[in-house]
Amino acid sequence: MSKIQEIVTAVASGKMKLVGGLVEEALAEGIAATDILNDGLIAAMGIVGDQFKAGDIYVPEMLVAARAMKKGVDTLKPHLAGGAAATLGKFIIGTVEGDLHDIGKNLVGMMLEGSGFEVIDLGVDVPAAKFVDTIKANPDCRIVGLTALLTTTMPALQASVSAIAAAGLKSQVKIIIGGAPITQAFADKIGADGYAENAASAASLSKELIA
Ligand code: B1M
């Protein structure tokens, strides 16, 4: 079994204690950190999602897999985030109200930090008003990122974008959105300034939008 395959199997089966070591071994073998992330850790979560959808596993198994994934991401972090000095200004990020998924959001935050943003992470289940208040409290912040992983929380994403606009803050900040069910068409529909498919493109899009 290849090292990447071992990582996929360990994450998908929630073997948190194994994952850190396997990621270190993969790095020592010269496998690129981005390949370990995409083909190992993220691929494993895809498998977990499919198993959940098929009814082969339940929420507790999804949760232990998520913990194993986090362990892998923590080990990879120094090798992924470029470590640029925070010169690009503030970036407020959060997962919208009703939604507890944070792995993708954390990856986006990590990539943005590595690209030179100072990340203000509001966590998960963030009400629209909290985004508004945090933008107001940070008048030098020029960009905000919203995540939603559930089709049922896409309306909360729309509500957050609307609340930011209704508070008159659209001239201060650009808004980018992302998450598995999100598309460019949805971003256009709700008046977001951009959509990014993954953490790396979220970082490059953010730089473009504030340039
Ligand atoms: Co949940 N879950 N989950 N879950 N979960 C999904 C999303 C699901 C697709 C699984 C499935 O059915 N196949 C499904 C949603 C179905 C739908 O809406 N159509 C689902 C469900 C149904 C649920 C519950 C409702 C289950 C239940 O209770 N019955 C429940 C909801 C809880 C809630 O939020 N209120 C639930 C709970 C959970 C756990 C808590 C157990 C756990 C989350 C733990 C955690 O995050 N700390 C969990 C997990 C792990 C998943 C799956 C398996 C993996 C998600 C993940 O971390 N992926 C997921 C299935 C799947 O995605 N295939 C699933 C890896 C991560 C790197 O990808 O977050 O997409 P992702 O991020 C990507 C991009 O989307 C993008 O960049 C990242 C990659 O670089 N991106 C952005 C993300 N945010 C961005 C922001 C940007 C730009 C890009 O700009 C700001």
Side-chain angles (χ1 to χ4, degrees), residues 172-205:
Q172 179 191 324
V173 288
K174 301 282 184 198
I175 305 172
I176 71 163
I177 64 171
I182 310 304
T183 58
Q184 181 65 55
F186 182 72
D188 295 340
K189 185 178 148 206
I190 68 170
D193 298 292
Y195 156 75
E197 192 183 356
N198 56 48
S201 49
S204 47
L205 174 66

Coordinates of all heavy atoms in Angstrom, one line a residue, residues 172-205:
Q172 N -16.9 48.7 2.1 CA -15.6 48.5 2.9 C -15.0 47.1 2.6 O -13.8 47.0 2.4 CB -15.9 48.5 4.4 CG -14.7 48.3 5.3 CD -15.1 48.0 6.8 OE1 -16.0 48.6 7.3 NE2 -14.3 47.2 7.5
V173 N -15.9 46.1 2.5 CA -15.3 44.7 2.4 C -15.8 44.0 1.1 O -16.9 44.2 0.6 CB -15.7 43.8 3.6 CG1 -15.0 44.2 4.8 CG2 -17.2 43.7 3.8
K174 N -14.9 43.2 0.6 CA -15.3 42.2 -0.5 C -15.7 40.9 0.3 O -15.1 40.6 1.3 CB -14.1 41.9 -1.4 CG -13.5 43.1 -2.1 CD -14.4 43.5 -3.3 CE -13.8 44.6 -4.0 NZ -14.8 45.3 -4.9
I175 N -16.6 40.2 -0.3 CA -17.0 38.9 0.3 C -16.7 37.8 -0.6 O -17.2 37.8 -1.7 CB -18.5 39.0 0.7 CG1 -18.9 40.2 1.5 CG2 -19.0 37.7 1.4 CD1 -20.4 40.4 1.7
I176 N -16.0 36.8 -0.1 CA -15.9 35.6 -0.9 C -16.5 34.4 -0.1 O -16.6 34.4 1.1 CB -14.4 35.2 -1.2 CG1 -13.6 34.8 0.0 CG2 -13.7 36.4 -1.9 CD1 -12.3 34.0 -0.4
I177 N -17.0 33.5 -0.9 CA -17.7 32.3 -0.3 C -17.2 31.0 -0.8 O -16.6 31.0 -1.9 CB -19.3 32.4 -0.5 CG1 -19.7 32.3 -1.9 CG2 -19.8 33.7 0.1 CD1 -21.2 32.2 -2.2
G178 N -17.4 30.0 0.0 CA -17.0 28.6 -0.5 C -17.6 27.6 0.4 O -18.3 27.8 1.3
G179 N -17.3 26.3 0.0 CA -17.9 25.1 0.7 C -18.4 24.2 -0.4 O -18.7 24.6 -1.5
A180 N -18.5 22.9 0.0 CA -18.8 21.9 -1.0 C -20.0 22.2 -1.9 O -20.0 21.9 -3.1 CB -18.9 20.5 -0.3
P181 N -21.2 22.6 -1.3 CA -22.3 22.8 -2.2 C -22.4 24.1 -3.0 O -23.3 24.4 -3.7 CB -23.5 22.8 -1.2 CG -23.0 23.3 0.1 CD -21.5 23.0 0.1
I182 N -21.4 25.0 -2.8 CA -21.4 26.3 -3.3 C -20.8 26.4 -4.7 O -19.9 25.6 -5.1 CB -20.6 27.3 -2.4 CG1 -21.0 27.2 -1.0 CG2 -20.7 28.8 -2.9 CD1 -22.4 27.4 -0.7
T183 N -21.4 27.2 -5.6 CA -21.0 27.4 -6.9 C -20.8 28.9 -7.3 O -21.3 29.7 -6.5 CB -22.0 26.8 -7.9 OG1 -23.3 27.6 -7.7 CG2 -22.3 25.4 -7.7
Q184 N -20.1 29.1 -8.4 CA -20.0 30.5 -8.8 C -21.4 31.1 -9.1 O -21.7 32.3 -8.7 CB -19.2 30.6 -10.1 CG -18.9 32.0 -10.6 CD -18.1 32.9 -9.7 OE1 -17.0 32.5 -9.3 NE2 -18.6 34.0 -9.3
A185 N -22.3 30.3 -9.6 CA -23.6 30.8 -9.9 C -24.3 31.3 -8.7 O -25.0 32.3 -8.6 CB -24.4 29.8 -10.7
F186 N -24.2 30.5 -7.6 CA -24.8 30.8 -6.3 C -24.2 32.1 -5.8 O -24.9 33.0 -5.3 CB -24.6 29.7 -5.3 CG -25.3 30.0 -4.0 CD1 -26.7 30.0 -3.9 CD2 -24.6 30.3 -2.9 CE1 -27.3 30.2 -2.7 CE2 -25.2 30.5 -1.6 CZ -26.6 30.5 -1.5
A187 N -22.8 32.2 -5.9 CA -22.2 33.5 -5.4 C -22.7 34.7 -6.2 O -23.0 35.7 -5.6 CB -20.7 33.3 -5.6
D188 N -22.9 34.5 -7.5 CA -23.4 35.6 -8.3 C -24.8 36.0 -7.8 O -25.2 37.1 -7.7 CB -23.4 35.3 -9.8 CG -22.0 35.1 -10.3 OD1 -21.1 35.6 -9.7 OD2 -21.9 34.4 -11.4
K189 N -25.6 34.9 -7.6 CA -27.0 35.1 -7.3 C -27.2 35.9 -5.9 O -28.1 36.8 -5.8 CB -27.7 33.7 -7.1 CG -29.2 33.8 -6.9 CD -29.7 32.4 -6.8 CE -30.9 32.4 -5.8 NZ -31.1 31.1 -5.2
I190 N -26.3 35.6 -5.0 CA -26.5 36.2 -3.6 C -25.7 37.5 -3.5 O -25.7 38.1 -2.4 CB -26.2 35.3 -2.5 CG1 -24.7 34.9 -2.4 CG2 -27.1 34.0 -2.6 CD1 -24.3 34.2 -1.1
G191 N -25.0 37.9 -4.5 CA -24.2 39.2 -4.5 C -22.9 39.1 -3.8 O -22.4 40.1 -3.3
A192 N -22.3 37.9 -3.7 CA -20.9 37.8 -3.1 C -20.0 38.3 -4.2 O -20.3 38.3 -5.4 CB -20.6 36.4 -2.7
D193 N -18.8 38.7 -3.8 CA -17.8 39.2 -4.8 C -17.0 38.1 -5.4 O -16.4 38.3 -6.5 CB -16.8 40.2 -4.1 CG -17.6 41.4 -3.5 OD1 -18.1 42.2 -4.4 OD2 -17.7 41.5 -2.3
G194 N -17.0 36.9 -4.8 CA -16.2 35.9 -5.4 C -16.5 34.5 -4.8 O -17.1 34.4 -3.7
Y195 N -16.2 33.5 -5.5 CA -16.3 32.1 -5.1 C -15.0 31.4 -5.3 O -14.4 31.6 -6.4 CB -17.4 31.4 -5.9 CG -17.3 29.9 -5.9 CD1 -17.6 29.1 -4.8 CD2 -16.8 29.2 -7.0 CE1 -17.4 27.7 -4.8 CE2 -16.7 27.9 -7.1 CZ -17.0 27.1 -5.9 OH -16.8 25.8 -5.9
A196 N -14.5 30.6 -4.4 CA -13.3 29.8 -4.6 C -13.6 28.4 -4.3 O -14.3 28.1 -3.3 CB -12.2 30.3 -3.7
E197 N -13.1 27.5 -5.1 CA -13.4 26.1 -5.0 C -12.6 25.4 -3.9 O -13.0 24.5 -3.3 CB -13.1 25.4 -6.4 CG -13.6 24.0 -6.5 CD -13.2 23.3 -7.8 OE1 -12.6 24.0 -8.6 OE2 -13.6 22.2 -7.9
N198 N -11.4 25.9 -3.7 CA -10.5 25.3 -2.6 C -9.7 26.4 -1.9 O -9.8 27.6 -2.3 CB -9.6 24.2 -3.2 CG -8.8 24.8 -4.4 OD1 -8.2 25.8 -4.2 ND2 -8.8 24.1 -5.5
A199 N -9.0 25.9 -0.9 CA -8.3 26.9 0.0 C -7.2 27.7 -0.8 O -7.0 28.9 -0.6 CB -7.6 26.1 1.1
A200 N -6.5 27.0 -1.7 CA -5.4 27.7 -2.4 C -6.0 28.8 -3.3 O -5.5 29.9 -3.4 CB -4.6 26.7 -3.3
S201 N -7.2 28.4 -4.0 CA -7.7 29.5 -4.9 C -8.4 30.6 -4.0 O -8.5 31.7 -4.5 CB -8.7 28.9 -5.9 OG -9.6 28.0 -5.4
A202 N -8.8 30.3 -2.8 CA -9.4 31.3 -1.9 C -8.3 32.3 -1.6 O -8.6 33.6 -1.6 CB -9.9 30.7 -0.6
A203 N -7.1 31.9 -1.4 CA -6.0 32.8 -1.1 C -5.7 33.7 -2.3 O -5.5 34.9 -2.2 CB -4.8 32.0 -0.7
S204 N -5.6 33.0 -3.5 CA -5.2 33.9 -4.7 C -6.4 34.8 -5.1 O -6.1 36.0 -5.4 CB -4.8 33.0 -5.9 OG -5.7 32.0 -6.1
L205 N -7.6 34.4 -4.9 CA -8.8 35.3 -5.2 C -8.8 36.5 -4.3 O -9.0 37.6 -4.7 CB -10.1 34.5 -5.1 CG -11.4 35.2 -5.2 CD1 -11.5 35.8 -6.6 CD2 -12.6 34.3 -4.9

